[in-house]
């Protein structure tokens, strides 16, 4: 196994490994590389659905995927699989997020206990576009001016439940653009990673975000400043997908976004999401 850091502020590619046949020693090395680099990429994998689930399970129990915008589960018999796709079959989308941009976010942070990690496996990708970008939220926190660090450490942030990152209203919720009243849960704005002990900014998603107890205008202004800070190119890396790519990221210390792509081309990825340890605070 060869670990090749991207040279950017996060991410490494791990080469010479077949995720179908992994020894315990390989797994320990992969897990350490993931905690250190925040995002890891494997190319040229050929995984069945069962292989993908089995590899994901090495990191912990799996969360069930959110239901589709249409209310359907994605893959019959595999509630732990989330399908990211723009493909429409017999008039019904086979997955989520369409072909538009998916804005910066952290997965499922509208839950009390969001998954610690997500993994995407690329089956079909368009010839251009649809790249996925990741940013390093340790760096986002570390680079804040001291006064802002201090201030942020005492604040709670609402993570909106209304919309997914593609801008679609989630199943069972009503559209709203009121950050104070929208459905969601509060998490600390600054969190300490339970495995690395490092502090990270925890932003989740911008739409309907709200800093607990602040006048709305003040909350908006502070969030705009934090968001600008966190999503700078200097602390980001992106993957241009090939079929067979597997990307695993840490939702506790990264955010991600996806570029739009030509809606007439096909893009299909499968995602798993790995639960945080029981009782692990966000
Ligand atoms: C996700 C996601 C981005 C992409 O699956 O959580 O944000 O590249 N996907 O499709
Ligand atoms: Mn996502």
């Amino acid at each position: 196994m060869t670990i090749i850091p991207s040279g950017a502020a996060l991410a490494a590619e791990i080469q010479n490994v077949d995720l179908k046949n992994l020894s315990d020693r390989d797994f320990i090395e992969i897990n350490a590389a993931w905690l250190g680099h925040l995002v890891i990429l494997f190319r040229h994998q050929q995984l069945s659905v069962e292989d993908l689930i089995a590899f994901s399970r090495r990191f912990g129990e799996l969360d069930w995927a959110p239901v589709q915008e249409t209310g359907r589960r994605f893959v019959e018999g595999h509630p732990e699989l989330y399908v990211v796709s723009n493909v429409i079959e017999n008039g019904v989308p086979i997955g989520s997020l369409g072909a538009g941009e998916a804005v910066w976010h952290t997965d499922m942070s509208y839950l009390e206990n969001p998954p610690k990690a997500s993994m995407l496996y690329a089956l079909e990708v368009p010839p251009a576009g649809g790249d996925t970008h990741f940013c390093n939220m340790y760096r986002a926190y570390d680079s804040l001016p001291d006064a802002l660090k201090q201030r942020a450490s005492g604040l709670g942030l609402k993570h909106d439940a209304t919309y997914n990152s593609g801008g679609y209203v989630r199943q069972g919720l009503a559209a709203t653009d009121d950050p104070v009243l929208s459905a969601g849960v509060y998490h600390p704005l600054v969190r300490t990673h339970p495995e690395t002990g490092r502090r990270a900014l925890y932003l989740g998603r911008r739409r309907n975000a709200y800093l607990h107890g602040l006048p709305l205008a003040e909350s908006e202004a502070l969030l705009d400043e934090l968001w600008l800070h966190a999503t700078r190119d200097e602390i980001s890396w992106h993957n241009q997908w090939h079929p067979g790519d597997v990307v695993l990221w840490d939702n506790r210390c990264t955010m991600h976004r996806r570029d739009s792509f030509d809606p007439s081309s096909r893009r299909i990825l499968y995602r798993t999401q790995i639960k945080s340890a029981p009782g692990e605070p966000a």
Side-chain angles (χ1 to χ4, degrees):
M1 180 162 30
T2 318
I3 299 171
I4 302 169
S6 67
L10 72 171
E13 182 180 345
I14 303 185
Q15 295 181 346
N16 304 317
V17 64
D18 177 0
L19 299 180
K20 283 198 297 284
N21 292 301
L22 215 55
S23 67
D24 288 344
R25 261 191 61 200
D26 287 344
F27 174 71
I28 288 168
E29 207 174 325
I30 288 172
N31 191 54
W34 171 60
L35 289 172
H37 294 284
L38 292 54
V39 179
I40 48 177
L41 162 68
F42 306 88
R43 292 207 196 273
H44 314 297
Q45 299 297 314
Q46 285 190 305
L47 307 179
S48 66
V49 161
E50 287 74 20
D51 296 330
L52 176 64
I53 290 174
F55 176 56
S56 303
R57 279 286 287 119
R58 306 283 299 242
F59 295 87
E61 276 181 51
L62 303 187
D63 250 333
W64 282 17
V67 293
Q68 223 172 327
E69 292 105 32
T70 56
R72 235 173 29 123
R73 284 231 166 261
F74 295 97
V75 182
E76 220 30 72
H78 288 298
E80 58 276 80
L81 280 189
Y82 180 74
V83 179
V84 175
S85 186
N86 65 317
V87 172
I88 297 179
E89 272 170 14
N90 304 319
V92 185
I94 65 165
S96 268
L97 302 182
E101 180 187 355
V103 297
W104 285 108
H105 68 281
T106 308
D107 290 334
M108 295 162 70
S109 62
Y110 53 89
L111 301 177
E112 283 300 338
N113 294 302
K116 68 174 181 181
S118 306
M119 189 183 302
L120 273 176
Y121 175 51
L123 302 173
E124 288 185 55
V125 301
D131 293 0
T132 307
H133 303 245
F134 296 86
C135 66
N136 181 333
M137 298 301 279
Y138 295 131
R139 290 279 189 92
Y141 174 77
D142 291 341
S143 65
L144 294 179
D146 280 343
L148 195 48
K149 264 189 197 160
Q150 283 275 323
R151 176 142 198 245
S153 297
L155 291 170
L157 174 66
K158 186 202 287 187
H159 293 236
D160 177 62
T162 316
Y163 299 99
N164 71 18
S165 58
Y168 300 93
V169 175
R170 286 182 199 282
Q171 177 65 9
L173 289 165
T176 175
D177 279 302
D178 184 335
V180 181
L181 297 178
S182 75
V185 304
Y186 284 92
H187 294 295
L189 180 57
V190 177
R191 61 184 297 174
T192 302
H193 194 292
E195 295 185 78
T196 66
R198 298 178 62 191
R199 305 187 112 203
L201 205 54
Y202 190 44
L203 291 181
R205 47 198 75 220
R206 180 65 186 87
R207 193 167 184 182
N208 286 349
Y210 174 61
L211 289 165
H212 187 257
L214 296 192
L216 183 56
E218 200 180 323
S219 168
E220 291 287 310
L222 186 49
L223 288 173
D224 283 344
E225 187 180 349
L226 293 173
W227 228 273
L228 268 182
H229 224 87
T231 58
R232 283 171 298 140
D233 284 347
E234 306 93 87
I235 58 170
S236 303
W237 168 84
H238 71 278
N239 187 41
Q240 190 182 351
W241 293 92
H242 304 272
D245 284 3
V246 172
V247 173
L248 171 72
W249 65 90
D250 192 329
N251 282 313
R252 300 165 294 189
C253 54
T254 64
M255 293 200 291
H256 55 282
R257 62 170 285 275
R258 181 195 73 196
D259 293 333
S260 61
F261 56 97
D262 178 354
S264 68
S265 58
R266 289 166 63 92
R267 188 174 186 272
I268 306 176
L269 300 94
Y270 283 175
R271 190 185 83 185
T272 55
Q273 41 283 308
I274 300 143
K275 281 187 188 179
S276 300
E280 184 176 303

